[in-house]
Amino acid sequence: MLEWYNVNGRHHLPWRNTKDPYHILLAEFLLQQTHVRKVEKVYEQLLQKYYDVGELANAMVDDLVTIIAPIGLKYRAERLIKSAKIICSQYNGKVPNDYNELRKLPGIGDYIANAVLCYAFDQPVVPIDTNVIRLFTRYFGYTSNRPRPRMDKELASKIRAHFEGMDSTRVANLAVLDLAGLICTANKPQSKQCPLLAHCLDYLSRQFESHKY
C-alpha cells in the first residue's frame, strides 16, 4: 500500500505539503463531510485572507461564510472563529498539541483532534473516519454492531492495532485515506486496481459468490 501511495497518492493537495498546525486544523475543519476536490480552492482562499490564527480570530462570520459557501455546512464558520479566539486567548496563538486540549475547541471531535496530532505534530495516532473504516472492514472482514461504526471503540481499537510500533503514522494514514478515496470507494470500488486485492476478504468473498452459480 505504501508503494502504491508513493506513486498514486494525492501529494498535490496543499495541506499535505505542510506541517503548520494552523493550516492542518483549517484543512481538517473544511474536509468534514465534504469531497476533497471541493476544498482545495476554499482552503487557499481562507489562508490568503486569514494567514494566521490571530487573523481568523478577528474574522467576521459573514465574510467567512461567503468563502466557505461552495462546500456547504456554513456552521463551520462560527466554530472556526470561536476556536481561533480560544487558541489566541488560552494557548498563546499556538494550536495545542494535546488531544484533550484540542477536544475542548468548538467543532473538534475525535477525528480532527487525531488528524491534527498526526499530520501537524507527527504523533503516532490514527484518525479514523468512514473511509478508514471501509477499507479495514472490507480487507480484514471486521464488523460492527453499532448503527454508526465510527462510534465503535472496539472496532477502532482493532484498526489502531495495525499501526502499533510506528514512530509516526502520518504516511501510513495518508496512504489509507488515498486508497480508500481513490480505489476502495463506497460505491463501485476499483478492485482490479487495488494493490491489496490478493488478500482482501471482501473481494475474495464476492469472487466466491459469483462463481457459486
Side-chain angles (χ1 to χ4, degrees), residues 10 24 137 169 183 205 213:
R10 294 175 285 196
I24 300 294
T137 52
T169 53
I183 302 295
S205 66
Y213 305 102

Side-chain angles (χ1 to χ4, degrees), residues 4-23:
W4 175 90
Y5 171 71
N6 285 336
V7 176
N8 302 285
R10 294 175 285 196
H11 306 290
H12 66 284
L13 296 173
W15 52 86
R16 294 280 182 90
N17 298 302
T18 180
K19 288 188 179 179
D20 184 303
Y22 169 60
H23 294 189

Side-chain angles (χ1 to χ4, degrees), residues 7-96:
V7 176
N8 302 285
R10 294 175 285 196
H11 306 290
H12 66 284
L13 296 173
W15 52 86
R16 294 280 182 90
N17 298 302
T18 180
K19 288 188 179 179
D20 184 303
Y22 169 60
H23 294 189
I24 300 294
L25 181 66
L26 193 63
E28 294 300 335
F29 252 101
L30 298 176
L31 288 164
Q32 290 180 88
Q33 302 174 51
T34 308
H35 197 282
V36 171
R37 67 172 172 266
K38 293 182 178 181
V39 172
E40 193 169 353
K41 184 176 180 181
V42 173
Y43 168 82
E44 290 176 337
Q45 286 178 333
L46 282 179
L47 277 183
Q48 285 175 7
K49 189 170 179 65
Y50 310 109
Y51 50 83
D52 62 20
V53 178
E55 290 293 318
L56 184 61
N58 292 317
M60 301 296 291
V61 173
D62 289 347
D63 292 341
L64 205 56
V65 165
T66 300
I67 296 174
I68 68 173
I71 62 174
L73 301 179
K74 296 178 184 179
Y75 62 80
R76 282 181 279 207
E78 194 169 338
R79 290 180 179 177
L80 267 170
I81 293 172
K82 284 182 178 178
S83 289
K85 288 182 183 298
I86 293 171
I87 291 169
C88 287
S89 64
Q90 297 182 23
Y91 301 100
N92 242 2
K94 305 290 185 184
V95 176

